[in-house]
């Protein structure tokens, strides 16, 4: 039983006294206690040690009182499990020494056994659930197949993922083979996380907005829809496509329980485009957490008024930035808790 189930109620579209609040990337970025652990253990050690992953996951719940936990891990553990080497370089971010560029590279990518390759994530889920003791729900996540392809082919972060796009547009057959392998792995992975205990899952399509609406359908949405179809009867699914407001109509018909929205789309327009019924999550500009706590409070209250308090999950429009002062993140959460309808 979950004591604070506001987040699950919002996912089911039930009426709530106030909307739930959490922040994307809340578990591994801005808290001083996280930075201490970051200085002691390298990134994948933190991911692979269930005790550390659990400790980091609980920090924002205990320290700023968010209504949901998100497991500390990374979207790039999937390509790692698929036989694609991924390193995390301090100051640079993801670095893949042997990016996927040819048909042969795609052939060498495997659809792995999840227990064998990602058992450490499942252990972290179980340990976190135990320590949460039903306080708040736990969110599991994965990257969208397109967003994973972006890193697998580009080999690192990028402003436009030009090499990844070139690969898709010059060798679509190989691209689709790779996307399907990532999709199959992701479905098995998210299923295993649900069995291990997560209460909902979120698919991060961080680079979906790099594609035109037509290409989005072909190279991204089609695969996210497969993931939703496979999971929706087992757990609520949240689909977050950064820069993907143009797809909200189609997304709203997908069987997802909620859709993430970024700050380039107004709450009213997001409601309009998504048909007015589905739960929405977002969408404050993460950089707005640099504003004063008093301004943050006003912006949060406006945002809830515009989205409406029901079928709404308060969040940022993308991940929290690493140098946000803790008191500003606290103001964001407290503003939601202090919300009362006019
Ligand atoms: O709340 C959380 O932060 C939970 C854990 C989490 C991480 N990554 C930990 C992490 C989650 C949910 C992610 C998702 C993720 N990872 C996404 C999708 C969301 C988004 O922000 O768009 C993407 C695109 C990645 C890939 C990735 N991992 C990048 C681009 C980087 C480098 C830059 C950075 O800090 O985000 C990472 C590394 C990473 N993942 C770190 C953390 C805490 C920082 C490295 C470190 O701590 O040593």
């Amino acid at each position: 039983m979950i004591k604070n189930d506001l987040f699950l109620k919002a996912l089911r579209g039930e009426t709530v006294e106030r909307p739930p609040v959490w922040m994307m990337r809340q578990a591994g970025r801005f808290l001083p206690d996280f930075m201490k652990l970051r200085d002691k253990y390298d990134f994948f050690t933190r991911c692979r040690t269930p005790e550390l992953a659990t400790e980091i996951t609980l920090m924002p719940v205990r320290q700023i009182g968010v209504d949901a936990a998100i497991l500390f891990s990374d979207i790039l553990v999937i390509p790692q499990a698929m036989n694609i080497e991924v390193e995390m370089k301090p100051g640079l971010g993801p670095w893949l020494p042997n990016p996927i560029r040819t048909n042969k590279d795609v052939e060498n990518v495997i659809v792995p056994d999840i227990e064998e390759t990602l058992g450490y994530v499942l252990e972290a889920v179980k340990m976190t659930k135990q320590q949460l003791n039903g306080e708040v729900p736990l969110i599991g996540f994965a990257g969208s197949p397109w967003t994973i392809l972006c890193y697998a082919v580009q080999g690192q972060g990028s402003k436009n993922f030009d090499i990844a796009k070139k690969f898709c547009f010059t060798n679509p057959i190989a691209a689709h083979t790779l996307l399907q392998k990532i999709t199959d792995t992701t479905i098995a992975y998210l299923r295993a996380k649900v069995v291990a205990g997560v209460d909902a899952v979120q698919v991060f399509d961080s680079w979906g907005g790099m594609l035109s609406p037509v290409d989005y359908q072909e190279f991204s949405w089609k695969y996210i829809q497969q993931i939703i179809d496979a999971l929706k009867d087992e757990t609520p699914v949240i689909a977050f496509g950064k820069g993907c407001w143009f797809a909200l109509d189609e997304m709203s018909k997908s069987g997802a329980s909620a859709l993430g929205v970024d700050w380039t789309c107004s709450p009213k327009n997001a409601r309009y485009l998504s048909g007015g019924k589905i739960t929405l999550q977002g969408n404050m500009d993460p950089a707005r957490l640099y504003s004063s706590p008093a301004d943050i409070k006003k912006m949060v209250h406006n945002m809830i008024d515009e989205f409406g308090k029901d079928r709404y999950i308060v969040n940022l429009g993308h991940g929290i930035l690493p140098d946000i002062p803790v008191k500003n993140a606290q103001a964001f959460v407290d503003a939601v808790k202090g919300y009362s309808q006019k």
Side-chain angles (χ1 to χ4, degrees):
M1 274 292 102
I2 308 271
K3 287 164 218 154
N4 172 354
D5 65 348
L6 278 176
F7 172 72
L8 298 176
K9 278 187 172 156
L11 287 174
R12 291 193 295 261
E14 292 171 16
T15 300
V16 287
E17 52 276 27
R18 64 155 176 95
V21 55
W22 68 283
M23 294 177 293
M24 287 191 277
R25 305 296 310 275
Q26 67 188 16
R29 258 192 172 170
F30 74 107
L31 288 172
D33 283 344
F34 167 74
M35 292 177 197
K36 281 185 214 149
L37 283 180
R38 188 190 54 190
D39 295 340
K40 256 169 98 181
Y41 306 97
D42 72 54
F43 181 67
F44 286 113
T45 302
R46 275 171 275 144
C47 290
R48 290 190 190 122
T49 312
E51 288 79 6
L52 291 175
T54 300
E55 187 181 343
I56 299 168
T57 301
L58 294 178
M59 283 175 186
V61 179
R62 299 275 154 81
Q63 297 182 14
I64 55 170
V66 287
D67 295 309
I70 181 160
L71 188 75
F72 177 78
S73 184
D74 198 77
I75 63 169
L76 298 174
V77 300
I78 287 276
Q80 264 183 342
M82 297 177 75
N83 227 3
I84 304 171
E85 207 180 318
V86 182
E87 297 167 20
M88 200 57 75
K89 293 210 168 165
L92 175 76
W95 173 255
L96 294 79
N98 305 300
I100 306 294
R101 299 285 164 82
T102 65
N103 290 348
K104 188 97 191 86
D105 294 336
V106 173
E107 269 168 45
N108 288 339
V109 171
I110 61 163
V111 176
D113 180 273
I114 298 299
E115 287 282 344
E116 216 172 86
T117 52
L118 292 162
Y120 64 88
V121 181
L122 308 178
E123 277 312 305
V125 169
K126 288 179 204 157
M127 196 175 282
T128 302
K129 278 296 284 183
Q130 207 175 9
Q131 293 200 15
L132 270 175
N133 195 23
E135 257 168 79
V136 294
L138 176 63
I139 306 167
F141 67 89
S144 75
W146 158 253
T147 290
I148 298 299
L149 177 144
C150 279
Y151 287 102
V153 175
Q154 192 83 20
Q156 64 185 102
S158 163
K159 283 202 164 60
N160 53 16
F161 286 98
D162 51 345
I163 303 173
K165 281 179 149 182
K166 181 178 173 188
F167 177 74
C168 289
F169 300 159
T170 55
N171 196 349
I173 294 175
H176 284 296
T177 304
L178 178 58
L179 287 164
Q180 192 60 53
K181 285 185 180 185
I182 300 168
T183 303
D184 294 345
T185 306
T186 302
I187 289 171
Y189 175 60
L190 290 176
R191 272 213 175 108
K193 275 186 173 172
V194 173
V195 172
V198 300
D199 300 288
V201 298
Q202 172 156 323
V203 179
F204 284 91
D205 197 3
S206 303
W207 306 122
M210 294 276 165
L211 294 166
S212 73
V214 170
D215 289 330
Y216 186 70
Q217 288 302 323
E218 177 176 350
F219 292 101
S220 186
W221 180 251
K222 198 161 94 179
Y223 297 97
I224 297 176
Q225 181 70 66
Q226 282 187 42
I227 297 170
I228 296 168
D229 287 342
L231 270 300
K232 73 178 181 351
D233 295 331
E234 290 159 43
T235 195
V237 181
I238 306 169
F240 168 64
K242 182 160 179 297
C244 299
W245 57 270
F246 55 81
L248 283 172
D249 176 30
E250 172 131 32
M251 289 173 162
S252 71
K253 297 167 184 149
S254 64
S257 292
L259 306 177
V261 183
D262 71 31
W263 62 95
T264 62
C265 186
S266 71
K268 291 212 164 89
N269 202 22
R271 281 283 181 219
Y272 169 74
L273 292 169
S274 61
K277 292 199 185 78
I278 191 165
T279 297
L280 296 178
Q281 172 177 283
N283 73 341
M284 198 158 98
D285 179 350
R288 269 297 178 188
L289 287 187
Y290 291 121
S291 295
S292 70
D295 286 345
I296 290 170
K297 183 175 173 182
K298 275 186 223 144
M299 286 185 278
V300 168
H301 287 185
N302 277 340
M303 189 165 73
I304 301 173
D305 286 337
E306 288 195 15
F307 274 104
K309 79 168 170 65
D310 290 321
R311 286 172 289 116
Y312 176 45
I313 298 163
V314 180
N315 207 316
L316 304 171
H318 197 192
I320 189 168
L321 297 163
D323 63 341
I324 292 297
V326 175
K327 72 174 189 342
N328 294 27
Q330 186 70 65
F332 182 77
V333 171
D334 289 347
V336 182
K337 294 187 172 176
Y339 179 83
S340 59
Q341 217 169 7
K342 283 175 205 141

